[in-house]
Amino acid sequence: MHLYIHIPFCRQACHYCDFHFSTNTNNKRAIVEAIAKEIALRKNYLDSFDLETIYFGGGTPSLLDTFELEFLMDTVRTHFNVSPAAEITLEANPDDLSLEKLVQLHQAGINRLSIGIQSFYEPHLKFLNRVHDSYEAGNCVKLAQDAGITNISIDLIYAIPAPDHSILRLDMQKAFDLNVSHISAYCLTIEPQTAFGSWLKKKKMKPIDEDFAARQFEILIAGLAEKGYEQYEISNFARDTQYSKHNSSYWKQRPYLGVGPSAHSYNRLSREYNISNNAQYLTAIQQNKIPSTVEILSQADQTNEYLLTGLRTKWGCELSTLGILSDNQFEKQNRDGILEMTQKGWLIAENGTILLTQAGKLFADRIASELFID
Ligand code: SF4
């Protein structure tokens, strides 16, 4: 089973980000205590108490001090059996990572870091409004390796407006030099409720050029493959099968419990969404209430979610699972659709599985939505 813990604080708002966070950290300790209480209140949500992965996401979990992190880990261990081989990931920003802090994180049980580097190029970091600078971007990985954490993923953002692809190539080279086992590469998207969204509306910024973005994605895929990084999910690349176990569990529709403001949970039959407001979350938990809304998943919802996430992975979607989830509606509704996609060269249907081709990966979400059932 899998546990997600959302830490809803950041030092400053990145211009592209629409995740839930607050830059006011005055009630950080109280929120941490509330999250611990939510873990206790919801320990029976999953069918089992055995945890294979724990993921501290955000927000910026590296803003937690060692005491807070140890307190949350102790709480988890009190209510669950954490497998000795569990993957325990912490999302971190480069500006938070001193050698001392990294040693403490490692001692607290963190054995995987997902570091939000995004770019090594100073003007791009400023454009995105990241807190860290290009020196910290490169140095934090070396510090983490010195602290004994070897399972490291870094995030990169591509399609940042630029005259050509040379900065992306430079970013890729710097990433390769750091010898990390995992790279997540995300296309810059402009969400309405962000600084970029507001600039776009006021015409102070142009939309992301789709052709430029597609070309950058192709450069990334080719460059990463050359260095031995396998694209096991559209945006995720790993060497030596060092896949993110936690994120893979989402893509394979495994149940998970999510705690903290804005966290989601999933138990196959429903999804549950915690409120995205720190103060309201705190008040509810202090009254022993879970501030969440529940969405019951229909057969169509379950089938379509599996399609949307499964098709993005190298494992694809099993036709037998699609049949069970949809009560055989998937095949009935998609006989022509699958044939059409395979003829276009976007989809492969083999050994009872459907998979995207390299060309299909450029339209993953569109292909999935065309196969959705009613
Ligand atoms: S991208 Fe990460 S660090 Fe930046 S505001 Fe969003 S959650 Fe915070």
Side-chain angles (χ1 to χ4, degrees), residues 10 12-14 16-17 21 58-60 93 130:
C10 291
Q12 72 184 30
C14 301
Y16 57 90
C17 178
F21 65 89
T60 308
N93 278 343
R130 299 290 300 178

Side-chain angles (χ1 to χ4, degrees), residues 204-218:
K204 286 188 191 165
M205 183 177 179
K206 289 187 187 156
I208 303 302
D209 181 324
E210 283 184 20
D211 292 339
F212 180 76
R215 181 68 196 122
Q216 292 229 314
F217 191 40
E218 285 169 354

Side-chain angles (χ1 to χ4, degrees), residues 54 56 73 77 82 86-90 109-113:
I54 303 169
F56 289 87
M73 284 299 300
R77 289 198 174 98
V82 180
E87 175 191 274
I88 306 176
T89 304
L90 183 113
I110 300 301
N111 54 27
R112 183 173 184 272
L113 286 176

Side-chain angles (χ1 to χ4, degrees), residues 112 152-154 180-184 229 232 236-238 242 244:
R112 183 173 184 272
I152 298 173
S153 176
I154 63 170
V180 289
S181 53
H182 191 282
I183 295 177
S184 299
Y229 289 89
Y232 72 104
N236 287 278
F237 302 79
Q242 292 201 60
S244 161

Side-chain angles (χ1 to χ4, degrees), residues 142-363:
K142 292 180 196 139
L143 292 178
Q145 289 159 341
D146 289 348
I149 304 178
T150 52
N151 195 351
I152 298 173
S153 176
I154 63 170
D155 286 355
L156 293 178
I157 291 182
Y158 66 93
I160 300 172
D164 55 32
H165 305 300
S166 56
I167 298 164
L168 176 72
R169 290 200 167 93
L170 222 63
D171 272 350
M172 288 165 63
Q173 190 51 54
K174 292 220 167 165
F176 299 149
D177 292 347
L178 292 171
N179 201 24
V180 289
S181 53
H182 191 282
I183 295 177
S184 299
Y186 299 106
C187 185
L188 180 62
T189 51
I190 301 186
E191 305 296 341
Q193 306 300 329
T194 63
F196 282 166
S198 141
W199 294 356
L200 186 68
K201 210 166 146 198
K202 293 177 190 156
K203 300 204 176 359
K204 286 188 191 165
M205 183 177 179
K206 289 187 187 156
I208 303 302
D209 181 324
E210 283 184 20
D211 292 339
F212 180 76
R215 181 68 196 122
Q216 292 229 314
F217 191 40
E218 285 169 354
I219 291 171
L220 264 163
I221 293 172
L224 286 159
E226 204 176 296
K227 295 288 177 184
Y229 289 89
E230 179 191 9
Q231 187 182 22
Y232 72 104
E233 197 268 349
I234 294 275
S235 307
N236 287 278
F237 302 79
R239 281 204 315 216
D240 306 324
T241 69
Q242 292 201 60
Y243 312 136
S244 161
K245 291 182 190 160
H246 186 85
N247 290 337
S248 298
S249 74
Y250 294 155
W251 303 323
K252 293 178 180 178
Q253 305 287 296
R254 305 273 194 266
Y256 60 89
L257 169 64
V259 294
S262 83
H264 300 176
S265 303
Y266 169 72
N267 66 2
R268 291 201 171 97
L269 300 175
S270 66
R271 283 198 184 277
E272 205 163 328
Y273 306 91
N274 279 7
I275 194 163
S276 297
N277 179 300
N278 289 3
Q280 290 175 27
Y281 171 83
L282 199 52
T283 307
I285 296 285
Q286 283 166 348
Q287 296 166 357
N288 294 328
K289 292 182 193 148
I290 307 297
S292 64
T293 48
V294 179
E295 178 194 7
I296 304 295
L297 299 172
S298 66
Q299 276 184 335
D301 292 334
Q302 291 179 48
T303 310
N304 297 342
E305 282 192 7
Y306 177 52
L307 267 174
L308 199 60
T309 53
L311 273 186
R312 292 175 61 92
T313 69
K314 71 167 201 156
W315 301 285
C317 290
E318 289 169 9
L319 289 169
S320 57
T321 307
L322 288 164
I324 294 167
L325 290 174
S326 68
D327 198 14
N328 295 322
Q329 284 305 308
F330 178 76
E331 232 168 322
K332 273 190 199 151
Q333 295 185 26
N334 277 306
R335 263 188 210 115
D336 295 344
I338 292 177
L339 193 65
E340 197 185 311
M341 304 277 179
T342 47
Q343 282 169 349
K344 278 184 181 163
W346 290 350
L347 206 63
I348 300 169
E350 61 181 17
N351 304 327
T353 303
I354 49 173
L355 296 164
L356 291 181
T357 61
Q358 209 54 36
K361 285 179 186 169
L362 290 174
F363 316 103

